[in-house]
Amino acid sequence: MLTIDQIIHQRRSHFLADFSGEKLPDSLIHRLLENAHQAPSHKATFPWRFCVFSGPALERLSLEMVHWQEQQADASSFSPEKRAKLLSYPEKLSHVIGLGVHQSGKVPAWEEDAALAMAVQNIYLTLASEPHAAGYWSTGNGTGSEIMRQLCGFDEHTLHRGWFLLGHVESKRTKAGRPPLEQVILEINR
Ligand SMILES: Cc1cc2nc3c(=O)[nH]c(=O)nc-3n(C[C@H](O)[C@H](O)[C@H](O)COP(=O)(O)O)c2cc1C
């Protein structure tokens, strides 16, 4: 059994190229969301919102992402490689969780975002305790757009904050790329 320190240190993002294409059980996705829901929130606003895509819904999502890219002002930079990558989502990914943050108006918006990030960290840490399930938070592919908000079924008080892309991996990276701790501690009171 991994200790909490090991889970935190070994937690890594895993990306599309890492995924085998094998599907993860829905029970694990449910566990990820149960654990995400344990995050703290100021004034108990519970601002995190999730929408799970798999199977035919994941196929539709990948097509919507392609369509969104084609509609952008810089659509000319939407390369064939990027298109092929998006179209491979249904085959390579297992599930995608649409991430939203509900604005309660009771606390500053940044606090709702902070709470969502803590919920997403719970997803990351739960995955770190699993040998073959992995993923990462993506803030590309229409993140924040009206079309993606609606696709996720989020109401008008909820902002779309990206995607958690999930897949099965044969083996995991655990090594972290981090600057020395001293670099981020600006002052120590002695
Ligand atoms: C708010 C947030 C947004 C992110 N968005 C993206 C993204 O759009 N694309 C991507 O490749 N990785 C994204 N990541 C994942 C980071 O690339 C990843 O966390 C970083 O490379 C460090 O790797 P580690 O998670 O294994 O420590 C995001 C992470 C966070 C916290």
Side-chain angles (χ1 to χ4, degrees):
M1 181 110 157
L2 295 171
T3 66
I4 184 69
D5 290 1
Q6 287 170 323
I7 290 173
I8 290 170
H9 283 252
Q10 292 183 13
R11 179 212 58 77
R12 291 281 72 80
S13 293
H14 287 79
F15 305 97
L16 200 67
D18 301 315
F19 298 145
S20 70
E22 201 175 306
K23 303 303 173 192
L24 303 172
D26 285 339
S27 57
L28 173 63
I29 309 305
H30 190 257
R31 215 180 110 222
L32 296 178
L33 299 178
E34 284 271 13
N35 289 352
H37 194 43
Q38 304 311 308
S41 59
H42 190 191
K43 297 199 179 171
T45 59
F46 311 111
W48 42 84
R49 296 290 182 273
F50 307 112
C51 176
V52 180
F53 297 84
S54 65
L58 184 50
E59 284 175 29
R60 281 198 299 279
L61 178 63
S62 95
L63 292 176
E64 287 291 348
M65 286 175 168
V66 168
H67 184 65
W68 182 86
Q69 293 283 355
E70 288 170 346
Q71 301 301 308
Q72 298 314 295
D74 62 349
S76 56
S77 63
F78 181 37
S79 66
E81 292 75 24
K82 170 80 180 171
R83 177 190 296 270
K85 186 178 169 184
L86 289 179
L87 291 174
S88 76
Y89 275 13
E91 188 197 331
K92 292 283 281 179
L93 297 175
S94 173
H95 295 69
V96 171
I97 303 175
L99 302 170
V101 66
H102 180 259
Q103 306 289 313
S104 67
K106 294 180 186 165
V107 298
W110 75 264
E111 295 197 48
E112 311 279 32
D113 272 318
L116 170 66
M118 299 191 85
V120 174
Q121 179 73 337
N122 283 356
I123 293 176
Y124 259 119
L125 293 175
T126 307
L127 290 171
S129 72
E130 286 286 313
H132 296 296
Y136 75 104
W137 188 349
S138 158
T139 42
N141 297 317
T143 289
S145 68
E146 183 61 13
I147 180 106
M148 295 309 179
R149 178 185 72 75
Q150 287 184 16
L151 200 66
C152 290
F154 298 149
D155 70 21
E156 65 274 20
H157 303 293
T158 300
L159 299 169
H160 178 248
R161 289 297 197 224
W163 315 100
F164 204 97
L165 274 54
L166 290 155
H168 171 278
V169 294
E170 296 296 348
S171 65
K172 287 192 169 182
R173 280 187 306 280
T174 55
K175 211 166 160 2
R178 291 289 182 276
L181 181 59
E182 298 71 44
Q183 200 170 311
V184 297
I185 301 175
L186 300 187
E187 192 180 324
I188 297 176
N189 289 326
R190 292 173 203 280

